[in-house]
Amino acid sequence: MKLLCLTALILLCGCGPDRPAPQNAKEIGAIRAPYTGKRFFNPHIQDQEKTVFAFLLTKYFGDVPFADQASQTDRIVVAPRLADLHQPTPSPRVTWLGHASFLISYQNTNLLTDPIFSERASPVSFAGPRRLAPLPYTVEQLPPIQHVLISHNHYDHLDKYSILSLGTAPIYHVPLGLKDWFTEIGLPDAKVLEYDWWQQQHISGIDFIATPTQHWSARGLFDRRKTLWAGWRVNWQAFSLWFAGDTGYNPIDFVETANKLGSVDLALIPIGAYAPREFMRLYHVTPTEALQIHQDIQASLSIGMHWSTFQLSAEDLDEPARLLEQARRSCPDTAPFITLAIGESRVIER
């Protein structure tokens, strides 16, 4: 019933803008995100037009049982103590805040990915997927944030409360079409940079590059795929990061990213929200597909995300981590692909 209520509320949300032209961005190569003139689309699949109503039918009348993740929260692994995130380190440090939210700290720069600090992944506070995992840090406990990466506009990746809490201090890097959303909630125009696929910005010695992924966008009934989705490659002089955001698998995009940009020191790759496969397969990877992305992107180390924080799909809460470990054991020569506890920090010794 709560999900049905959320569905109705989401359908009342506004439409997205038409495609704007990104400003002050340098393009790598000639490829641009495919666009019909009204909507973006994925070049390597036939996009589905399934609605939230189809998801409700699948959940309540389909053949795949949905796990009760709310009763499995004892399986969530939480870091035993809070790290001092304000303490600088000579090497890159990554901290998992839950779901697709990471804090990456390196060379006096603090960067957040898809921050969500709300209790629900929802446009309202009283309905929608509730946080299963504890929030390890409040916004006030974080160090000063200089950059925020946004992969797409779904509510579990773009959260209004979190953006307003972070305020005007960071620079927000967003895919095409999302700048208007930020300026409408009060962010200065100069603080929001839009990117097409393969476009980049160089800011204070750091390169930010939007890369292709296989997903979709919508915050309401009438704005499906009106804004773009993207992964992000971030290059410091001596360290590189790739943040996948949310994606399905194809054998082209991630190989092409590695061919264009080279191998990467750290990749952040989703491993959850993949069941039932008939509904999720085009836009959410399984742990086995995540491992393939890890290999395609040529990562020296990958960390799994997008699991054990909000229930968005049918699998058991801890199944993504278990299946990832099984997949890793079947490929013993592959570079490490790990998971972190909620709130855990890892210093990347390269």
Side-chain angles (χ1 to χ4, degrees):
M1 183 59 66
K2 288 184 178 179
L3 182 57
L4 187 59
C5 179
L6 174 64
T7 299
L9 289 163
I10 290 176
L11 298 183
L12 295 176
C13 297
C15 301
D18 289 334
R19 174 182 184 163
Q23 298 178 348
N24 303 320
K26 179 181 177 182
E27 190 172 328
I28 302 176
I31 299 176
R32 296 172 63 86
Y35 188 64
T36 66
K38 293 185 177 180
R39 286 178 170 80
F40 297 94
F41 62 93
N42 290 287
H44 308 302
I45 61 170
Q46 181 66 44
D47 279 304
Q48 292 179 343
E49 300 299 335
K50 293 182 178 180
T51 67
V52 288
F53 297 109
F55 178 79
L56 290 173
L57 289 173
T58 299
K59 179 174 182 178
Y60 293 109
F61 301 103
D63 297 329
V64 177
F66 273 63
D68 180 10
Q69 291 188 6
S71 68
Q72 300 173 347
T73 54
D74 60 316
R75 305 180 191 181
I76 296 173
V77 180
V78 180
R81 64 182 178 86
L82 298 182
D84 183 2
L85 300 182
H86 293 258
Q87 184 67 32
T89 65
S91 298
R93 180 181 60 216
V94 58
T95 304
W96 189 36
L97 305 178
H99 205 52
S101 301
F102 286 88
L103 170 67
I104 295 92
S105 301
Y106 186 48
Q107 293 184 344
N108 299 314
T109 297
N110 297 301
L111 179 153
L112 283 177
T113 66
D114 285 357
I116 178 167
F117 303 110
S118 293
E119 184 63 20
R120 295 182 185 270
S122 169
V124 295
S125 61
F126 55 86
R130 183 188 290 273
R131 180 178 292 276
L132 301 172
L135 185 64
Y137 296 94
T138 65
V139 176
E140 293 74 22
Q141 290 173 317
L142 298 177
I145 305 299
Q146 287 78 39
H147 296 279
V148 176
L149 305 179
I150 300 296
S151 64
H152 64 296
N153 71 353
H154 288 159
Y155 287 97
D156 57 319
H157 294 261
L158 178 58
D159 177 59
K160 181 177 179 181
Y161 164 77
S162 301
I163 301 303
L164 291 176
S165 297
L166 291 167
T168 60
I171 296 174
Y172 296 88
H173 305 263
V174 307
L176 275 180
L178 273 182
K179 185 168 188 171
D180 284 353
W181 182 91
F182 283 81
T183 56
E184 285 169 5
I185 67 169
L187 271 294
D189 183 85
K191 284 291 186 175
V192 187
L193 303 178
E194 275 191 335
Y195 298 68
D196 200 347
W197 289 349
W198 301 121
Q199 288 180 317
Q200 69 172 338
Q201 299 271 7
H202 183 80
I203 303 171
S204 301
I206 308 172
D207 289 320
F208 297 87
I209 307 163
T211 67
T213 55
Q214 184 170 293
H215 203 57
W216 60 291
S217 64
R219 288 177 83 82
L221 180 61
F222 303 109
D223 63 340
R224 181 184 290 261
R225 298 198 302 273
K226 282 196 172 182
T227 64
L228 188 56
W229 48 94
W232 292 97
R233 175 69 177 255
V234 183
N235 292 333
W236 285 263
Q237 185 174 4
F239 174 67
S240 57
L241 166 76
W242 183 68
F243 171 60
D246 214 350
T247 188
Y249 182 74
N250 68 70
I252 300 170
D253 284 336
F254 313 110
V255 172
E256 182 181 40
T257 296
N259 288 341
K260 283 179 177 286
L261 304 178
S263 60
V264 66
D265 294 316
L266 174 65
L268 308 174
I269 302 175
I271 62 172
Y274 50 78
R277 287 313 284 157
E278 189 276 331
F279 198 90
M280 299 289 195
R281 66 180 181 84
L282 293 182
Y283 303 112
H284 292 89
V285 293
T286 64
T288 300
E289 290 171 328
L291 184 66
Q292 186 61 59
I293 292 177
H294 164 70
Q295 295 169 325
D296 290 353
I297 209 75
Q298 298 179 25
S300 298
L301 171 68
S302 289
I303 298 174
M305 63 177 183
H306 207 262
W307 67 289
S308 79
T309 310
F310 300 99
Q311 179 159 10
L312 305 173
S313 53
E315 72 271 8
D316 285 336
L317 184 146
D318 59 343
E319 182 182 282
R322 290 190 281 107
L323 293 186
L324 176 62
E325 181 59 29
Q326 290 178 19
R328 286 183 57 226
R329 286 198 299 267
S330 68
C331 301
D333 296 330
T334 300
F337 192 155
I338 64 173
T339 58
L340 299 179
I342 299 287
E344 181 179 356
S345 294
R346 179 69 61 96
V347 174
I348 310 300
E349 302 291 353
R350 294 170 294 108

